[in-house]
Amino acid sequence: MELIHSSNYYAFFQSDKERCFYIDFGQKVVRLSFCQLLALRQKVWAIRIEDHFDGELNAHGFEILALCNKEHLFVLNTLEILDLKELLIGAFSFFDICVPTSTRAQRV
Amino acid sequence: MKDIARQSLSIKVESMDLLNNQIKMEAHASATYLAMASWCDQNGFFTGAKFFYKQAEEEREHMMKIFQFVIDAGGNAISPEIGGISHEYSSIVDIFENALDHEIRVTKSIHNIVMKAREVGDLATERFLDWFVLEQVEEENTIRDILDMIELTGTEGVGLQIIDGKINDWID
Ligand SMILES: [Fe+2]
Ligand SMILES: [Fe+2]
């Protein structure tokens, strides 16, 4: 298992042997197939972080994230969501399926 | 290290996002045309209704075409949520003008995906959308022709009845 990217709270790994990914969420390590990883990315991307600063739209500033066909359930706060976003951006930038940007680290 | 992500997905992940958005747009178009069919039926434009029922079906086919492409490429296709469908129209002209505007928005969105795909060298997505680019020219042209026909016929007297009958020419 190789570390691909880490953020403040989380770490992203790839296992060549198992052909899957792992995210260390601190309290729990979650195993994700590629499809599950794509689904996580889509869920995180769909979160409107502006709503966290609106007392009516998201009064408590939490997001409930169900992963891997409801196998895992996370309740994340604003900072954790932002950090998870950062983790996924960093991790995806190592893949060839992601459009490279000059500001991001080159693939090693 | 293997690139498992690349082995799993044949298109750029950004293209997948844009295509999922296009799926939503086609579904929205289908639902809008269904609302237009309902309006036509309620206001005595029975051929107009037939035209829009058919359009609604076609838009759903477009949606499914993109949906299947995303799946075939190894991506995650998302079943769209649709909201904000207007059922309020002031006239048959208003209906077709709205339909044309809607088609133009779809055209722009497809062109945008093509340009982005080209920029990042996603040839598969670019080529896949060839069919849609040409289809949009036809769709816009159909509605433009109907608007021209409405203008020529005029909406006075039996005009509206004649208009409804003539819409049949665009149902094949
Ligand atoms: Fe369409
Ligand atoms: Fe259309």
Side-chain angles (χ1 to χ4, degrees), chain A residues 12-81:
Chain A
F12 188 101
F13 301 89
Q14 175 176 307
S15 165
D16 275 14
K17 219 169 73 195
E18 294 173 67
R19 300 187 56 79
C20 72
F21 307 93
Y22 285 91
I23 295 179
D24 186 347
F25 277 92
Q27 73 266 44
K28 179 147 88 168
V29 177
V30 172
R31 179 187 195 274
L32 301 118
S33 67
F34 177 70
C35 288
Q36 290 166 338
L37 175 65
L38 273 186
L40 167 65
R41 177 181 167 281
Q42 282 162 332
K43 275 178 198 158
V44 171
W45 260 236
I47 292 172
R48 295 166 50 93
I49 212 80
E50 314 89 79
D51 292 357
H52 286 226
F53 302 96
D54 186 309
E56 270 171 36
L57 291 171
N58 188 335
H60 308 285
F62 286 109
E63 296 287 341
I64 297 169
L65 220 53
L67 298 190
C68 308
N69 299 319
K70 300 180 189 166
E71 208 182 299
H72 308 281
L73 198 72
F74 289 95
V75 180
L76 303 181
N77 67 28
T78 311
L79 285 178
E80 289 166 333
I81 290 290

Side-chain angles (χ1 to χ4, degrees), chain B residues 22 25-27 29-30 33 55 58-63 66 103 106 110 131-132 135-136 139:
Chain B
Q22 194 59 39
M25 245 183 142
E26 301 292 340
S30 179
Y33 287 148
Q55 289 298 116
E58 270 182 25
E59 297 302 345
R60 192 185 148 78
E61 279 165 25
H62 295 168
M63 180 192 94
I66 304 169
E103 288 299 337
V106 169
I110 286 167
W131 182 87
F132 283 86
E135 172 72 9
Q136 279 311 113
E139 297 251 273

Side-chain angles (χ1 to χ4, degrees), chain A residues 2 4 14-16 19-21 34-35 38-39 41-42 45 92 94-99 107, chain B residues 1-14 16-17 20 74-78 120:
Chain A
E2 273 186 80
I4 289 194
Q14 175 176 307
S15 165
D16 275 14
R19 300 187 56 79
C20 72
F21 307 93
F34 177 70
C35 288
L38 273 186
R41 177 181 167 281
Q42 282 162 332
W45 260 236
F92 268 84
F94 276 84
F95 302 145
D96 193 35
I97 55 164
C98 196
V99 177
R107 206 194 147 150
Chain B
M1 199 175 74
K2 287 183 198 162
D3 191 341
I4 294 164
R6 175 59 190 90
Q7 290 175 349
S8 311
L9 184 65
S10 306
I11 57 176
K12 295 286 183 197
V13 74
E14 286 82 1
M16 184 191 77
D17 292 340
N20 267 316
N76 204 3
I78 295 178
V120 299

